[in-house]
């Protein structure tokens, strides 16, 4: 079977990419989704706060997803649910399997990767101790509670202050659980400031920075969690141990882009983001294979995921129509002082249309800094910021008039002063 575009993943990135590709002229499109419904992680995010940028209204996760699902229903885009993609070949043959079609191979003119991300588990961070029940990733607990109707515990401790951990602190409290605190290894929170205020401060839930879990106890069910303060090298400090009596430990210790398919396909990955290296068109190192959303880098807001998906869909449609998304005169973006990573990592200077948006994260909490963009000739642009934090993604926009003057490669760094 042949398609113009195969979209792998039916979450917000994949839905936006498919709709954008359709609107830009690609007609034979299929979305492959491994779950039993479209919408991705949004279906379990029943809290509000979505859509403020994209739809100019405050929506819950399912409401946001439904807007895109309805858009897809009004097109000829095909959807295959409960479909697991097994492989993507060099010539863009996508191997998949599902209960209806069995094993199938699909020939695509272009592929869009939108597989999202996954949570790090207890095994990934090697928490010592016994192996009782009652230890969940925050996302798993969220699904049990919001979609399956199961209360995962009554006396809860949360390790990690990422957004999902903060949101689950509030959610568990609203369901009647006692949340003893949120433990964070770093000296700053990994979540958005609004979530710290709305999910912790408003419910008097303590946040312990520069602390970590050093041991868990419990033969069948979790009984105790031992927490200790850490030094500047993130090593536990002897004598600072505190025992918490609890039956549940939720882990919000980071998200990783889901890139097994990307690796197997031979796509170049960025070690900083764990996602594909992309150009401003969201094309990867393999021509005709695009990527968008949390499979590229972990976003804060779903609105930005959708925007990135729309860009990937637009350029994928362009690729199959004209095959003009080729590298000619390129500039590589590197991260300097204070910057952890930037996306995109490559700009095709022969294909500049309008402004270029660059996303980035900083490596610490900073006050009163400038984000400075330079090329081989010096400073191109600078952007003032009164506050920067690792938990809040930064975005800058470079207008076309500046991009056309770029000489050589670009570096982005933090400098002092406003």
């Amino acid at each position: 079977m042949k398609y113009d575009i195969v979209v792998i993943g039916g979450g917000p990135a994949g839905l936006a990419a498919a709709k954008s590709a359709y609107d830009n002229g690609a007609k034979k499109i299929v979305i492959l989704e491994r779950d039993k419904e479209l919408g991705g992680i949004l279906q379990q995010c029943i809290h509000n706060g979505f859509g403020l940028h994209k739809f100019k209204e405050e929506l819950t996760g399912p409401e946001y997803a439904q807007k895109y699902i309805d858009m897809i229903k009004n097109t000829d885009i095909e959807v295959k649910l409960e479909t697991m993609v097994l492989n993507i070949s060099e010539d863009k043959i996508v191997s998949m399997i599902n209960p209806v079609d069995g094993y199938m191979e699909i020939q695509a003119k272009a592929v869009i990767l939108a597989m999202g991300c996954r949570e790090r588990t207890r095994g990934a961070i090697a928490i010592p101790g016994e192996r009782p029940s009652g230890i969940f990733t925050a996302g798993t607990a969220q699904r049990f509670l919001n979609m399956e109707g199961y209360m995962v515990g009554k006396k809860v401790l949360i390790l990690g202050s990422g957004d999902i951990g903060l949101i689950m602190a509030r959610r568990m409290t609203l369901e009647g659980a006692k949340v003893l605190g949120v433990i964070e290894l770093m000296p700053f929170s990994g979540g958005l400031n609004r979530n710290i205020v709305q999910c912790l401060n408003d419910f008097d839930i303590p946040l312990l920075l520069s602390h970590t879990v050093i041991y868990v106890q419990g033969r069948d069910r979790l009984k105790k969690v031992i927490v200790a303060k850490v030094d500047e090298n993130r090593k536990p400090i002897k004598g600072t141990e505190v025992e918490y009596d609890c039956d549940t430990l939720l882990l919000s210790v980071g998200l990783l882009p889901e890139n097994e398919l990307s690796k197997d396909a031979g796509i170049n990955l960025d070690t900083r983001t764990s996602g594909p290296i992309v150009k401003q068109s969201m094309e990867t190192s393999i021509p005709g294979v695009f990527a968008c959303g949390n499979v590229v880098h972990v976003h804060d807001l779903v609105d930005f995921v959708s925007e990135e998906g729309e860009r990937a869909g637009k350029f994928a449609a362009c690729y199959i129509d004209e095959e003009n998304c080729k590298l000619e005169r390129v500039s590589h973006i590197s991260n300097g002082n204070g910057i952890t990573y930037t996306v995109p990592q490559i700009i095709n200077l022969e294909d500049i249309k309008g402004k270029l948006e660059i996303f980035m994260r900083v490596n610490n909490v900073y006050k009163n800094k400038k984000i400075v963009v330079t090329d081989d000739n010096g400073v191109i642009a600078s952007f003032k910021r009164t506050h920067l934090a690792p938990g809040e993604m930064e975005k800058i926009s470079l207008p076309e008039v500046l991009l056309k003057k770029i000489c050589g490669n670009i570096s982005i760094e933090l400098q002092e002063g406003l």
Side-chain angles (χ1 to χ4, degrees), residues 3-7 13-31 68-79 110 112 309-321:
Y3 287 88
D4 287 344
I5 295 175
V6 173
V7 180
L15 294 173
K19 180 62 167 57
S20 176
Y22 184 86
D23 290 343
N24 282 278
K27 296 306 177 188
K28 195 163 177 56
I29 302 169
V30 63
I31 300 172
Y68 271 103
I69 292 169
D70 290 342
M71 293 180 201
I72 296 299
K73 285 180 179 178
N74 291 326
T75 69
D76 297 325
I77 295 170
E78 190 177 341
V79 175
I112 300 176
E310 289 170 0
R311 188 157 70 251
K314 173 186 174 182
F315 281 100
C318 154
Y319 174 86
I320 65 173
D321 185 40

Side-chain angles (χ1 to χ4, degrees), residues 121-132:
T121 62
R122 176 186 177 181
I125 59 174
I127 297 176
E130 296 171 288
R131 299 176 61 84

Side-chain angles (χ1 to χ4, degrees), residues 7-20 39 42 64 68 112-116 291-295 299 302 304-313:
V7 180
I8 303 174
L15 294 173
K19 180 62 167 57
S20 176
L42 288 176
Y64 188 101
Y68 271 103
I112 300 176
L113 307 176
M115 295 89 73
C292 56
N294 285 347
V295 80
H299 293 64
V302 70
F304 295 154
V305 168
S306 298
E307 288 178 13
E308 208 169 81
E310 289 170 0
R311 188 157 70 251

Side-chain angles (χ1 to χ4, degrees), residues 216-401:
V216 294
Q217 293 179 359
R219 192 166 189 83
D220 297 313
R221 180 77 186 195
L222 182 66
K223 297 293 184 185
K224 287 182 185 293
V225 174
I226 293 111
V227 173
K229 194 171 183 179
V230 298
D231 59 23
E232 61 275 10
N233 297 316
R234 304 176 203 168
K235 301 296 183 185
I237 301 171
K238 286 187 178 181
T240 63
E241 297 86 357
V242 177
E243 288 188 0
Y244 286 85
D245 294 324
C246 56
D247 59 24
T248 305
L249 175 65
L250 301 187
L251 305 178
S252 176
V253 291
L255 300 167
L256 295 171
E258 189 80 69
N259 271 300
E260 278 66 32
L261 284 173
S262 310
K263 291 176 189 174
D264 291 344
I267 292 170
N268 293 336
L269 302 183
D270 189 327
T271 55
R272 301 165 300 174
T273 63
S274 298
I277 295 172
V278 294
K279 308 162 200 160
Q280 78 268 24
S281 64
M282 306 312 296
E283 189 177 29
T284 68
S285 57
I286 296 180
V289 178
F290 298 77
C292 56
N294 285 347
V295 80
V296 178
H297 63 125
V298 178
H299 293 64
D300 298 332
L301 302 178
V302 70
D303 308 70
F304 295 154
V305 168
S306 298
E307 288 178 13
E308 208 169 81
E310 289 170 0
R311 188 157 70 251
K314 173 186 174 182
F315 281 100
C318 154
Y319 174 86
I320 65 173
D321 185 40
E322 303 174 14
E323 293 196 5
N324 63 354
C325 302
K326 297 180 174 63
L327 288 176
E328 298 293 343
R329 187 168 70 90
V330 302
S331 179
H332 293 260
I333 302 177
S334 62
N335 54 300
N337 177 57
I339 305 295
T340 301
Y341 72 78
T342 56
V343 172
Q345 296 92 340
I346 302 172
I347 306 172
N348 184 353
L349 297 174
E350 299 293 340
D351 189 31
I352 299 296
K353 297 181 179 68
K355 65 182 179 181
L356 170 69
E357 292 184 336
I358 301 175
F359 292 89
M360 68 196 73
R361 287 193 189 271
V362 297
N363 59 14
N364 210 330
V365 176
Y366 296 100
K367 302 286 186 183
N368 301 324
K369 295 283 187 179
K370 291 188 295 185
I371 300 173
V372 179
V373 185
T374 59
D375 67 0
D376 290 353
N377 288 335
V379 176
I380 302 170
S382 66
F383 304 83
K384 298 177 181 179
R385 294 290 189 272
T386 56
H387 174 80
L388 299 128
E392 299 180 19
M393 192 163 61
E394 293 294 326
K395 180 175 74 169
I396 61 173
S397 295
L398 297 178
E400 183 177 341
V401 64

